[in-house]
Amino acid sequence: MEHYGMLGIIPPLLAIILALVTKEVIISLTLGILSGTLIIAHGNIFTAITIFTDKVAEMSGDAWNIRILLFCALLGAFVSMLSKTGATKAFGLWASKYLKTKKSILIFTWFFGLIIFIDDYFNSLSVGTVMRPAFDQNKISRAKLAYILDSTAAPVCILAPISTWVVTVMSYIRDSEGFESLNISEFVFFIKMIPYSVYPLLALAFVVLMALVFKDFGPMKRSEDNAQKGKLFDEELYGDCPGNLESSSNDTAKWYDMVIAIVVLIIVCIVMFPVTTYMGLIGKEGIDTFSAAMSSISLNQAFLDTDASKALFYGAVISIIIMYIYYMARRLLNIRSAGNSIIEGIKSMVPALVVLALAWSIGSVIKSSPEDGGLGLAAFLSEAVKGGGFPLWILPAIGYLLGCVIAFSTGTSWGTFAILIPIVIPIANGLAAGNGYTGDALLNILLISVGSVVSGAVFGDHCSPISDTTILSSTGSNCPLLEHVATQIPYAGLVAISSFVGVVVGGITLSPIAALLIGFIVMCILALLAPKFYDRVSLLYKKNISEDSK
């Protein structure tokens, strides 16, 4: 028995429907897994529960997975320790001395968001806290700040090779049926997928265009006009601000205390990629020293052959140790405050770790063959699409739209990744095989298919009103949540429409350059037309109101 046929669709379908209805990803994934284990157990609830617990334990206990869990937890500790030093506030005061114009403030905030790519929570809260005084002094709306924070949170984290988002996506890619046939690491696949991530790239470009070239439109224009009059946010129309979140203040902290931490984390993690490969060679084929391992393969090959989970985990551990010693020596933290900040940071990551464990488990239930305790959905879908005459070019567009809808409705991209990536990869493999694609052509099909799912999920997470990054961007900027949502959706929606056009072009041409170029052109055209469109809608609305009042 290779698969359970159509029954294998029940777990992901149930998880999707429940996520849309309840907005609770953890409960939805749990019930999705249980529905799958009930099928495997032939309706025996006790057996189904034992299979469920075994699956979660098996996936969480996998060496690769557990290192990813530990990396995420340690990254939370790193972020918490940094925020407690007062370094972020010191950096903001230093930067404000050199930012004198509105455009310079907007571009610097965008660039600041780019370099804080290790975690979206840290991005939204730290950049918002640092840049808010400069926005207020120059009469730029809090809504504009919140928009830039949100546009450089999820879109940046999914593009950077070192972040909690990336290791999560790599784990889903690595465990998907058919990926092993490519004979490349999940890290190399991710790097090659970056140009196919149309929405995140266009979203970042759009922030720059709106800062330097195009005019504001829609609710954002109204917020900007109000800011020029001294009204930085509108609590009367949109409700109360979520709270004035402040980072710790310390007169001893300097701007470089934050820069050093970020640079240390980046450099250490990057160095550990080849080092991990060389360490793994010791004891094999007569290699008994590190220098002998280095001479056995090139540095470039060492990067390609690395185990990303080991490299990132080791990098996080070493970075925390270095910065712990540094902050103690600078007297920005003491033993108690440093220890408490690490504990608080790990606690903050617990919900994300639970989602990860459940996502891995439902992926295992869905894709594993019945002989391995799964439903074999990947094998079923692969068989179905091979002879179904399914048009290959439309797959990326479908994946993109599903990613948009699921992530927007549930407020999470991680759950969307968990549901869609294990399904899209075997489908793409089946379609490619049915059309005779091999080698680079097969790789490009998988890249555009997964990249489109990721793009859609990032859009949904970017502007969903129940997304954690949306809420944290509102909190970091001290902007009413509903004002942030109302002002951001027209901008994000414009980029999403442009990205969809680009994804369709990418599906037809299998060219990331064509997808990005067409998407960018469409985005610029829509940005030029949008102010006139909103002005016309506003005039019609005012005219109707005037006539009704008469």
Side-chain angles (χ1 to χ4, degrees):
M1 184 178 183
E2 295 183 356
H3 54 73
Y4 280 80
M6 290 292 293
L7 291 176
I9 297 178
I10 292 177
L13 185 62
L14 180 63
I16 292 172
I17 293 174
L18 288 175
L20 293 174
V21 173
T22 66
K23 310 296 188 296
E24 291 288 343
V25 176
I26 291 178
I27 296 298
S28 302
L29 288 173
T30 300
L31 293 178
I33 298 169
L34 280 174
S35 69
T37 56
L38 270 172
I39 295 171
I40 296 170
H42 304 289
N44 187 312
I45 184 65
F46 177 77
T47 303
I49 292 174
T50 58
I51 295 174
F52 169 86
T53 55
D54 288 343
K55 282 288 183 184
V56 174
E58 175 188 341
M59 297 310 297
S60 300
D62 176 79
W64 201 94
N65 289 348
I66 199 167
R67 281 191 290 267
I68 295 304
L69 292 174
L70 289 172
F71 169 73
C72 292
L74 290 175
L75 191 56
F78 185 89
V79 168
S80 178
M81 187 170 63
L82 176 57
S83 66
K84 293 293 184 181
T85 64
T88 55
K89 195 163 188 177
F91 181 86
L93 293 173
W94 170 79
S96 63
K97 298 177 182 178
Y98 305 96
L99 303 176
K100 303 299 182 182
T101 67
K102 178 178 178 179
K103 289 184 178 180
S104 66
I105 292 171
L106 296 177
I107 293 299
F108 181 82
T109 306
W110 173 82
F111 178 75
F112 194 11
L114 292 185
I115 62 176
I116 308 296
F117 55 75
I118 56 176
D119 183 73
D120 54 329
Y121 292 0
F122 181 44
N123 183 308
S124 296
L125 296 177
S126 63
V127 178
T129 302
V130 168
M131 297 307 302
R132 189 168 61 242
F135 273 66
D136 292 353
Q137 291 171 10
N138 288 269
K139 295 184 178 180
I140 307 172
S141 69
R142 297 279 180 81
K144 180 62 73 68
L145 173 59
Y147 165 66
I148 297 177
L149 296 180
D150 223 348
S151 297
T152 54
V156 170
C157 289
I158 199 60
L159 295 174
I162 303 173
S163 75
T164 51
W165 287 55
V166 171
V167 294
T168 301
V169 171
M170 286 194 297
S171 69
Y172 301 146
I173 292 171
R174 169 180 175 266
D175 294 334
S176 295
E177 182 73 23
F179 174 73
E180 66 281 355
S181 64
L182 297 176
N183 295 320
I184 62 174
S185 70
E186 63 280 352
F187 180 71
V188 174
F189 184 91
F190 169 79
I191 295 298
K192 290 179 177 291
M193 191 184 73
I194 290 176
Y196 293 90
S197 302
V198 180
Y199 179 82
L201 291 169
L202 292 185
L204 291 174
F206 193 66
V207 174
V208 177
L209 292 175
M210 291 306 301
L212 301 178
V213 181
F214 298 120
K215 298 178 180 179
D216 287 309
F217 57 87
M220 184 69 80
K221 185 178 185 304
R222 182 170 59 245
S223 292
E224 284 292 281
D225 291 341
N226 288 340
Q228 291 300 310
K229 302 173 185 177
K231 191 175 184 179
L232 298 172
F233 49 91
D234 193 342
E235 288 186 306
E236 296 178 4
L237 181 60
Y238 295 107
D240 295 336
C241 292
N244 193 3
L245 184 70
E246 295 287 352
S247 62
S248 299
S249 180
N250 189 335
D251 294 336
T252 308
K254 304 297 181 182
W255 63 270
Y256 51 78
D257 291 317
M258 193 188 85
V259 174
I260 289 174
I262 301 301
V263 171
V264 165
L265 180 63
I266 295 171
I267 291 178
V268 171
C269 286
I270 290 175
V271 168
M272 290 310 298
F273 273 94
V275 167
T276 301
T277 302
Y278 292 132
M279 290 172 59
L281 294 175
I282 298 176
K284 298 179 180 178
E285 300 180 0
I287 298 175
D288 56 0
T289 64
F290 192 82
S291 59
M294 290 184 66
S295 62
S296 64
I297 61 173
S298 66
L299 181 63
N300 181 61
Q301 192 61 42
F303 266 102
L304 297 179
D305 294 343
T306 190
D307 183 331
S309 68
K310 287 184 178 180
L312 293 173
F313 174 53
Y314 297 159
V317 172
I318 295 171
S319 298
I320 286 180
I321 293 173
I322 292 173
M323 295 315 301
Y324 185 95
I325 296 172
Y326 174 81
Y327 287 140
M328 293 282 287
R330 289 271 291 116
R331 297 188 177 182
L332 298 177
L333 294 173
N334 55 39
I335 293 178
R336 174 173 292 182
S337 62
N340 288 340
S341 66
I342 290 174
I343 293 173
E344 290 174 9
I346 293 174
K347 286 181 180 179
S348 71
M349 294 301 294
V350 169
L353 302 183
V354 173
V355 171
L356 263 179
L358 293 176
W360 287 330
S361 301
I362 195 172
S364 177
V365 170
I366 290 170
K367 72 181 183 63
S368 300
S369 65
E371 290 75 12
D372 295 326
L375 297 171
L377 178 60
F380 169 70
L381 291 173
S382 180
E383 289 180 9
V385 299
K386 283 181 182 178
F390 193 77
L392 178 61
W393 65 268
I394 204 173
L395 178 62
I398 293 174
Y400 175 79
L401 292 175
L402 285 175
C404 289
V405 171
I406 295 171
F408 183 85
S409 301
T410 61
T412 174
S413 54
W414 285 25
T416 305
F417 298 152
I419 292 169
L420 291 182
I421 289 178
I423 295 175
V424 167
I425 288 182
I427 289 178
N429 258 320
L431 287 173
N435 287 274
Y437 288 100
T438 58
D440 290 341
L442 171 61
L443 178 60
N444 288 337
I445 291 169
L446 291 175
L447 290 172
I448 186 65
S449 299
V450 178
S452 298
V453 166
V454 167
S455 291
V458 170
F459 162 73
D461 184 86
H462 181 188
C463 61
S464 171
I466 58 173
S467 165
D468 46 9
T469 52
T470 302
I471 295 170
L472 289 176
S473 296
S474 173
T475 303
S477 61
N478 196 28
C479 171
L481 175 61
L482 292 181
E483 182 172 7
H484 172 43
V485 173
T487 54
Q488 173 171 266
I489 283 181
Y491 284 31
L494 184 150
V495 178
I497 294 171
S498 306
S499 300
F500 176 74
V501 176
V503 166
V504 172
V505 172
I508 296 172
T509 64
L510 298 181
S511 168
I513 296 176
L516 288 171
L517 181 61
I518 296 301
F520 184 82
I521 292 172
V522 172
M523 183 174 72
C524 291
I525 294 172
L526 293 178
L528 286 171
L529 298 176
K532 296 180 181 179
F533 170 78
Y534 274 95
D535 287 344
R536 181 170 297 182
V537 170
S538 179
L539 287 174
L540 289 174
Y541 176 76
K542 290 178 180 178
K543 182 179 179 181
N544 290 333
I545 292 295
S546 177
E547 291 178 353
D548 290 342
S549 64
K550 294 177 180 179

